[in-house]
Structure formats: C-alpha cells, structure tokens
C-alpha cells in the first residue's frame, strides 16, 4: 500500500514484504517489534519512575546513577558488550557499550540521554510526572519522550534483530544533556577511538507530526545572557522620589522591548533576520495548536512559520528578577535583571550572535543606567549533510514503515554534541531521528509519547541498520 493506511497484519504502512539480508522479512520484523511493545511499556515505566534530573540542587544525584545503571543493564541484556558507566568531566555518567561488526560491515553509533528536565509545576500535571500513565492512547510522564522513549526505541530495535544484528554498534547514553554542562562533549575528543562509527544515529528529535516520517537536518544554536540593570543605590519611596528617580525595572523593560520590531520579530543589531527555510513547511494552523496559542493572539514576526523557527534568530526572555506583585512595596526599583535566550540558525556563529546580543542590550540602555551582561555558554547551530548512504538507507526504511517519503525539518532546540561529533568524525554521517513530535510537549507539564511512534520508529531503526549494512557491501 502507498496511501499511508495501516497494514492489517503488521500495523505498519507500505513496503511489507521486502526482506533484509538477515532476520526474515519486514513483516516478520514488524511482528517481532509489535510483540515487544508490552516490554517496551514496562521498560519506559521503570525509567520514568527515576527522577533523573541532573541537578543536585533539585534532585538526589543517586537517581541519575540508578538510571544509568538501569540503562547499562538493559543494553547488556539486549546483546551489547562491555556496557559500563564512564564519568565525564562535569561529573555525570555516560553509558558506553559496543558490539563488533560482522566482517566487512559498517558500525553505527546509537545515542540518547537518560537525564530529564525537572517537572516544573507538579500541579499542572494531570497525572504524577514520575509515574507512567496511559491516557487517550498516549503514555504520560517526564522523559516519556525526551529522551527515555528514544532509549526504549533503541532497545526494542536491538531486541527485534537479536543475534542477526547486521552492523557493528557503539552506544553512548549521556547523563547531563538537559543541563547543558558539556560532560559528554568534553569526554568525546580524547576518547574518539572508542566511539568512532560510520553513521551516528542521534535519537533526541522526532517526526513533524505523528505518522509523518522525518529527519531533523538543522538545529538552532543557543546564546544566553543574564543582563542586570542598576539605577539607584537602593530602592526609594515612589511617593517621595518617583518621577525623576530612574526606575531600573522600567529601563530593563525598554531594553528587552528593543529586541523586537513592531510585529514581534527578533531585531538585534548586526544579526540577519531574512533567512528562509527550504525543507518541510509548518502549517500555521497546526503550529498554533501545537504551541497552544490563544484564539485571537497573532503569531510574532514575518515570513513563514518555518522561516521563523529554523532559519532566523529568535529571542526569548526566560525570566526576570524584580519585586513580585504580591508583597511589592511602593518603591522605585533600584535593580532588575533578566535571563535572555537567543536561538541561532545555521549559518550564524553562536559567539558572534551572543556578541551582537550583548552589544544591542548595552546600546539600548536608557538614562545612563549601569548595565552588566553575564554571558552563559553558547551552543553552535548544526546542519546535516543528507547526501550519503545513511540517509538513503533511512529514507528506504521510513518508506517501508510509514508508506511515504522521509521529510526534512529543523529543530528549535540545540544538541551541542552534534557539532563536537561533526568535528571529531568529519567523515561520518549524522542522522537525527526519534519518537518526539509536537504533541509530546517535551520540557513542559504533561509530557507524553505516542506508543505507536515508539513501535514504528523502532521498526525504522531496525530496517535502517539492515539497509545501511547492505549499502556498505555493494
């Protein structure tokens, strides 16, 4: 079938009877994966119960260690060898393992991460964040999609292939990706030999929507700063001094407002804001629904939604320190500060963008207020080369499972490891896929995953390994 309807036997779309070189036909592989789904649910339930937030200020570090040990044991059982924990320079533990290739076969690196974002507001969750809960056909819990669902996808694909694994595999599952502290990025270069592979399967992204097979080929970088404004030695009574006394919060608001033009688009002096996106588009109606935009509220900026998401810089005020409404006094604020995030498209250097953001904020400060800008770490954007055999193998696998060609999209998030991998292994193809899609609400309350995406993407991964092995032997 080619119309995207489900096959009654396998539950997958077209391409059902084309076999690989090992392990039977695609239908047989699909049936094995379907049979593994109850185990996949149990695995995910166990992983989600572990609050593996890699920030000891919020959660005990022992929980991250437990998650790492669980991952190591699971991949050992799935057939990998010498699976162990390696401490990285930021103190987190990466799970490392391998399985050597059959003679003449290529090697594929499988990546994911076991650490998760904090649940934020527990009261906003419909079900407990660290308890996998099935509701309306989806599985809810922190990390269910990002990125423990992708760990389960890897495990399901490997278990389905079993002893018929047609390629060598190297595994790395990191433990501090969400914190951005760079543990694995620092670990990788001096250990390049143990992680070298012909294709790098980075599973921390996902499809454009449920049922639309997609590879992420573009990642925005990030350049964050914290800006502090000082205007007075201390707060003063607004009745006695308000008017001529400079208000630090009002000055900060003016500075932040200057980062956007009249239609809300990002406007930072020295940064190009005219880029266009040539891959798959993002329908505005679907974007409004995915982002939860309220009725009657206009989207900000100009150009297509895809242009604004993946080809242009985008600024966000992440937080402001100032007097809270409840308990605020009748006083002119002496100081105020904000954390500002700048997402950077491929083609723009993250450090250059950060310099532009700092210069813009300093120049926009009114009334001679004193401004201090603290630079946080900057992550570079990434663009994949899609012309090699790994992408051809992936497209074939996605066509067989989903019944439609693979699409390309960008991601607003950054994965700093990708640029380190590209610099360390310039000859390797980097492929970004996974089980995440807009309805997953990653990083937000009520994160969830569609179990059908785990099933289908595990099937895609298993077929990809077969097809990539075949491409290396022809």
């Amino acid at each position: 079938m080619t119309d995207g309807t489900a096959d009654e036997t396998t539950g997958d779309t077209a391409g059902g009877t084309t076999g690989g070189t090992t392990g039977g036909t695609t239908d047989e592989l699909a049936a094995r994966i379907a049979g593994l789904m109850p185990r996949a649910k149990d695995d995910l339930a166990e992983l989600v119960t572990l609050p593996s937030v890699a920030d000891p200020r919020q959660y005990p570090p022992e929980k991250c260690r437990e998650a790492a040990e669980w991952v190591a044991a699971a991949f050992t059982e799935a057939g990998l060898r010498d699976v162990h924990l390696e401490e990285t320079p930021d103190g987190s533990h990466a799970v490392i393992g391998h399985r050597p290739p059959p003679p003449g076969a290529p090697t594929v690196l499988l990546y994911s991460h076991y650490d998760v974002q904090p649940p934020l507001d527990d009261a906003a969750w419909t079900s407990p964040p660290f308890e996998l809960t099935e509701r309306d056909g989806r599985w809810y819990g922190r990390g269910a999609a990002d990125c423990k669902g992708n760990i389960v996808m890897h495990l399901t694909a490997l278990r389905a292939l079993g002893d018929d694994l047609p390629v060598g595999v190297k595994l790395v599952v990191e433990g501090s990706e969400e914190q951005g502290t760079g543990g694995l990025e620092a670990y990788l270069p001096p250990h390049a030999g143990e992680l070298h592979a012909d294709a790098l399967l980075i599973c921390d992204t996902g499809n454009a929507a449920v049922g639309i097979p997609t590879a992420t080929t573009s990642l925005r970088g990030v350049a964050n700063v914290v800006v502090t404004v000082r205007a007075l030695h201390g707060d003063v009574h607004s009745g006695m001094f308000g008017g001529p006394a400079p208000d630090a919060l009002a000055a900060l608001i003016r500075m932040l407002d200057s980062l956007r033009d009249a239609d809300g688009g990002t406007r930072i002096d020295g940064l190009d804001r005219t880029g266009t996106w040539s891959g798959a588009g993002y329908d505005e109606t679907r974007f409004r629904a995915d982002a939860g935009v309220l009725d009657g509220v206009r989207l900000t900026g100009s150009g297509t939604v895809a242009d604004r998401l993946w080809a242009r810089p985008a600024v966000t005020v992440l937080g402001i320190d100032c007097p809270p409404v409840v308990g605020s006094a009748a006083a002119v604020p002496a100081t105020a500060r904000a954390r500002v995030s700048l997402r950077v498209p491929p083609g723009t250097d993250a450090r250059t963008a950060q310099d532009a953001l700092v210069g813009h904020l300093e120049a926009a400060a009114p009334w001679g207020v004193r401004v201090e800008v603290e630079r946080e770490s900057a992550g570079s954007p990434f663009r994949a080369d899609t012309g090699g055999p790994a992408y051809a193998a992936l497209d074939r696998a996605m066509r067989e499972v989903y019944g439609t060609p693979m699409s390309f999209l960008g991601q607003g998030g950054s994965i700093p490891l990708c640029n380190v991998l590209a610099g360390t292994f310039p000859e390797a193809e980097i492929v970004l896929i996974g089980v995440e899609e807009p309805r997953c609400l990653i990083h937000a309350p009520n994160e969830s995953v569609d179990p059908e995406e785990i099933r289908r993407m595990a099937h895609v991964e298993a077929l990809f390994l077969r097809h990539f092995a075949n491409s290396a032997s022809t």
Side-chain angles (χ1 to χ4, degrees), residues 260-352:
R260 293 181 178 272
D261 57 24
D263 63 8
T266 296
R267 180 189 62 195
I268 295 173
D269 295 339
L271 287 188
D272 176 50
R273 55 195 182 106
T274 62
T276 57
W277 174 252
S278 59
Y282 200 153
D283 176 74
E284 181 170 331
T285 300
R286 193 174 83 215
F287 175 83
R288 293 182 66 90
D290 291 342
V293 181
L294 299 177
D295 291 344
V297 177
R298 297 188 300 275
L299 301 187
T300 53
S302 60
T304 69
V305 170
D307 291 342
R308 285 172 270 177
L309 277 176
W310 305 319
R312 298 177 183 179
V315 70
T316 303
V317 179
L318 300 179
I320 296 179
D321 286 341
C322 62
V325 171
V326 176
S328 56
V332 179
T335 65
R337 69 174 184 164
R339 187 169 183 235
V340 181
S341 177
L342 179 63
R343 296 291 179 171
V344 183
T348 301
D349 177 75
R351 291 291 181 187
T352 300

Side-chain angles (χ1 to χ4, degrees), residues 31-41 155-161:
R32 285 202 295 275
I33 289 171
L36 286 165
M37 285 305 294
R39 187 173 186 182
K41 183 179 183 182
L155 286 169
T156 304
L158 292 174
R159 288 169 178 158
L161 290 168

Side-chain angles (χ1 to χ4, degrees), residues 94-315:
V95 182
I96 306 290
H98 77 282
R99 182 163 164 173
T107 295
V108 176
L109 182 140
L110 304 181
Y111 166 89
S112 190
H113 64 86
Y114 63 80
D115 69 304
V116 299
Q117 286 281 334
L120 302 176
D121 181 5
D122 283 8
W125 286 76
T126 304
S127 51
F130 293 114
E131 178 182 314
L132 193 70
T133 303
E134 185 168 3
R135 187 167 65 251
D136 299 325
R138 297 181 68 91
W139 297 344
Y140 286 79
R142 175 56 89 220
D146 182 21
C147 200
K148 293 174 178 178
N150 287 311
I151 293 173
V152 170
M153 179 189 79
H154 284 321
L155 286 169
T156 304
L158 292 174
R159 288 169 178 158
L161 290 168
D163 292 335
D164 292 322
L165 190 61
V167 298
V169 167
K170 294 186 177 180
L171 174 75
V172 57
V173 182
E174 73 170 306
S176 59
E177 192 274 343
E178 297 291 8
Q179 293 301 313
T181 46
L184 187 60
E185 293 97 282
Y187 174 88
L188 193 150
H191 298 85
E194 66 186 273
L195 296 176
H196 180 270
D198 301 286
L200 315 175
L201 209 59
I202 310 301
C203 293
D204 190 14
T205 62
N207 290 337
V210 171
I212 299 177
T214 312
T216 296
T217 59
S218 169
L219 295 171
R220 289 196 290 191
V222 63
N224 289 357
V225 302
V226 175
V227 55
T228 302
V229 175
R230 291 184 173 87
L232 305 166
H233 288 293
D235 294 355
V236 296
H237 193 288
S238 59
M240 295 177 64
F241 298 101
D247 178 333
L249 179 56
L252 177 63
I253 290 170
R254 284 202 173 192
M255 294 161 61
L256 298 177
D257 182 62
S258 75
L259 297 171
R260 293 181 178 272
D261 57 24
D263 63 8
T266 296
R267 180 189 62 195
I268 295 173
D269 295 339
L271 287 188
D272 176 50
R273 55 195 182 106
T274 62
T276 57
W277 174 252
S278 59
Y282 200 153
D283 176 74
E284 181 170 331
T285 300
R286 193 174 83 215
F287 175 83
R288 293 182 66 90
D290 291 342
V293 181
L294 299 177
D295 291 344
V297 177
R298 297 188 300 275
L299 301 187
T300 53
S302 60
T304 69
V305 170
D307 291 342
R308 285 172 270 177
L309 277 176
W310 305 319
R312 298 177 183 179
V315 70

Side-chain angles (χ1 to χ4, degrees), residues 50 62 140 161 170 182 194 197 306 318 356 374 391 421 424 438 445 449 460 463 470:
L50 298 172
E62 295 80 22
Y140 286 79
L161 290 168
K170 294 186 177 180
E194 66 186 273
L318 300 179
E374 174 190 350
Y391 276 88
L421 288 169
T424 306
V449 68
V460 165
L463 287 174
N470 290 342

